[in-house]
Amino acid sequence: MAITTFKANTYLKEKVLVEADVRGHKIIIDEPKELGGDNQGANPVELLLAALGACQSIVARTFAHKFDIDLQNLWVELEGDLDTDGFLGKSDVRPGFLAIRYTFHIETNASHEKVEEFKKFIVAHCPVGDTIANTVNVVSSGIVMDNPII
């Protein structure tokens, strides 16, 4: 078994602006103005959609040769429905996505049947899609209290 641990650190800045550090790469995360942010970056649920599309794209690129598919171009169109009242505590609805939809746009000379088989493989081997579709243990390791020096 080849288990690899991936890591990220997030730092809350002003208002709801968050800076993430992933292997030295900085990602700016913010909310649109209507959700209390300054619209300086994608919000977390938009990043989740982007992560899903990126993961599917990487699986496609990595395994196209296995299916003898000349992958000339690929892009994934994603959208998700979320009731913001759950996030804002205005209602007893769950705060997460209710549904996520995606469409693969593939430019190739491969047959439709071959591309359908390839699509099934992509969906079955995408770690982000699998994580979203299946229950994952999300475990807190506790809280570290840092007291500012006065």
Side-chain angles (χ1 to χ4, degrees), residues 29-31 40 45 47 57 67 72 83 93 96 107 111 120 122 126 133 139 144-145:
I29 304 153
D30 199 4
E31 291 287 349
Q40 294 186 48
V45 295
L47 289 173
S57 298
F67 288 81
Q72 297 165 15
D83 188 336
V93 298
E107 186 179 323
S111 71
K120 288 177 186 173
I122 293 168
C126 172
V139 180
V144 176
M145 296 286 297

Side-chain angles (χ1 to χ4, degrees), residues 7-71:
K7 298 179 181 185
N9 291 311
T10 59
Y11 304 92
L12 182 62
K13 302 295 186 178
E14 62 277 349
K15 293 174 92 173
V16 295
L17 181 74
V18 174
E19 185 177 286
D21 182 1
V22 181
R23 293 182 292 111
H25 301 284
K26 290 193 178 174
I27 303 166
I28 300 300
I29 304 153
D30 199 4
E31 291 287 349
K33 291 188 183 287
E34 59 270 17
L35 291 174
D38 286 325
N39 201 34
Q40 294 186 48
N43 71 19
V45 295
E46 292 164 333
L47 289 173
L48 180 70
L49 292 174
L52 175 58
C55 189
Q56 292 168 331
S57 298
I58 290 167
V59 172
R61 175 69 75 207
T62 302
F63 292 98
H65 70 280
K66 178 180 178 180
F67 288 81
D68 196 27
I69 290 184
D70 178 18
L71 192 60

Side-chain angles (χ1 to χ4, degrees), residues 31-32 34-36 43 45-46 80-98:
E31 291 287 349
E34 59 270 17
L35 291 174
N43 71 19
V45 295
E46 292 164 333
D81 303 321
L82 185 143
D83 188 336
T84 57
D85 283 354
F87 160 65
L88 296 171
K90 293 181 178 179
S91 173
D92 202 17
V93 298
R94 58 184 290 252
F97 277 118
L98 304 170

Side-chain angles (χ1 to χ4, degrees), residues 70-148:
D70 178 18
L71 192 60
Q72 297 165 15
N73 195 11
L74 171 95
W75 66 281
V76 185
E77 182 179 8
L78 303 105
E79 62 183 13
D81 303 321
L82 185 143
D83 188 336
T84 57
D85 283 354
F87 160 65
L88 296 171
K90 293 181 178 179
S91 173
D92 202 17
V93 298
R94 58 184 290 252
F97 277 118
L98 304 170
I100 295 174
R101 293 171 299 283
Y102 59 87
T103 303
F104 292 134
H105 296 262
I106 298 176
E107 186 179 323
T108 183
N109 55 7
S111 71
H112 184 72
E113 294 78 21
K114 191 180 272 193
V115 171
E116 272 298 323
E117 181 185 348
F118 185 44
K119 176 195 171 238
K120 288 177 186 173
F121 181 88
I122 293 168
V123 171
H125 290 84
C126 172
V128 174
D130 178 78
T131 300
I132 294 168
N134 295 290
T135 303
V136 175
N137 290 330
V138 178
V139 180
S140 170
S141 295
I143 297 173
V144 176
M145 296 286 297
D146 291 329
N147 294 320

